Amino acid sequence: MSSGSSSFIARNKGMLMLMAPIVAFLAVFFAWPVVLVLANSFGGDGGPIGEYVEFFTSSTYVRIVIRTIFVALLVTGLCLLIGYPYAYLMVRTKGWTLAILTGVVLLSFFTSVMVRSFAWIVMLQRNGIIDNIAQFLGFDGLVLRGTTTGVTIAMVQVMLPFMIFPLYSAMAGIDTRMERASVSLGATKWTTFRDIWFPLSMPGVIGGSVIVFVTSLGFYVIPGLVGSPSNQLLSHLIYSLINTVLNIPLASAASVVMLLMALLVVLPAMMRFDVTGSSTSRFAGDEGRGERQSPWLWIWAAVVIALLLVPGLVVIPLSFPENRSFAFPPEGFSLKWYANFFESRQWWGAFITSLKVAVLVTLTSTILSVFAGLALRRASTQVRTVIRALVLTPRIVPGVIIALAVYGLFLDWRLNITTTGFVIAHTIMALPFAFIPIAATLEQFDTRFEQAAASLGASRITTFIHIILPLISTGMMTGALFAFVISFDEVVVSLFVGGVGMRTLPVQMFRSVANDIDPTIAAASTMLLLLTALIVIASTVLTQRRAR
């Protein structure tokens, strides 16, 4: 070991010890399994590159890749066009108006993807809401389920919060004095927006676009439920190769192709912009907030609010039908589907499994994130960049690749269909979301409190328990909430590591939609939706009271 390395370790011993748990966890359960996927892609019967030759010489597989890229780009572009004006309005408002606009996005973000997928099935199917509206208006009908258009619409609704939040974060950091100076010098509002506002908001544009594009590349639930085999995407192909054909080498090769597509977008963007979503506002003034905005901007915001909320609200009436049916509006009224949820071993057992796993994932993710956040405070600027990139890497890797990676590892270690396996796999997915608010709170922590405690003779453990923890409790609660929601709502990883003997609630909902007409899913969706609404409303009210 060189003297330079030795001196670095000696200077940063405390930081390295704090980073050790999360580095070890991600190295063993994330990095190593991904390496195994890469190795498996070269291990087929056709030689080192035989699987890739088979993949790229198949016109069907090539069409799926092209379709996947097209849909991901289309979803990203539509999310940017729809979300940018909404985020702009959020920056221009304050008080309860801002709280409502933010709360709507949070409610959509926290609403289970299975709830929204089920709603889109009802809306897009034959004799569904959209089809009935088209017939009422005199058209022949409009059945979008099983089409690429239907999949795109549903994915845009799910991905929109992932675009709005980075946009808002970047816009909130723009110094509005530059905008006012431009106007005072005679520039029009459009010129000011084009030459000042939009370039300064570019980190949010790039960050949101990268997150949406990468997530769309590996999105499985909506393409699998709303789409059809004739227009399947790459994520669905990978799952089929594992679950139906049992061709792990070819599935691994397809996963590597998807990972390379993601890296071709992520790496160039990371060289110029923060695509992790970890940036905080650089300018905290209220100038420009609360000013009168264009009526068209408010109309646009109303349309976006409807897009975000209506699909979730559709499921509520469907939880009360008399007969087994997903027809809208439902016929009759009955509470028997709610009773079936609590009496059925499948439904209630899946709920308990999800709850147990989510609680354990919340504890694990929060503890690891606190350690990493404390290490971040002690690190230099360059090392901080490395730490953030390490912890947030699972966020920029398509979820289906992570699912395949841990599936292969867990087969060897016999962790499939176990609580331990679920907790490990879900923690990988939840860590980036828990880390961001916790790390941001720790970075804003005033170190003078820590120094004062040390000068009075307090040990580091005492200072941490009595000084640091109380002051970062809000960030910890936020990170814990994100981790809980991400775990409770996880579908793709749960499909890979679970089984008949152990299912989470989202997987039970997925199986129910795919294989049966059971309004119990509507009852489960309604309860999840109401619980999510209560959490978001309580959080919004608490935030407003603290702001006062």
Side-chain angles (χ1 to χ4, degrees), residues 8-20:
F8 174 82
I9 294 174
R11 291 194 312 268
N12 298 277
K13 184 177 180 181
M15 184 267 292
L16 294 173
M17 290 179 64
L18 289 169
M19 281 299 300

Side-chain angles (χ1 to χ4, degrees), residues 452-485:
S455 67
L456 294 173
S459 65
R460 288 186 175 180
I461 295 178
T462 301
T463 301
F464 177 75
I465 294 175
H466 295 287
I467 303 295
I468 297 178
L469 272 183
L471 292 177
I472 66 171
S473 59
T474 301
M476 288 180 61
M477 291 176 60
T478 303
L481 177 61
F482 274 99
F484 182 89
V485 171

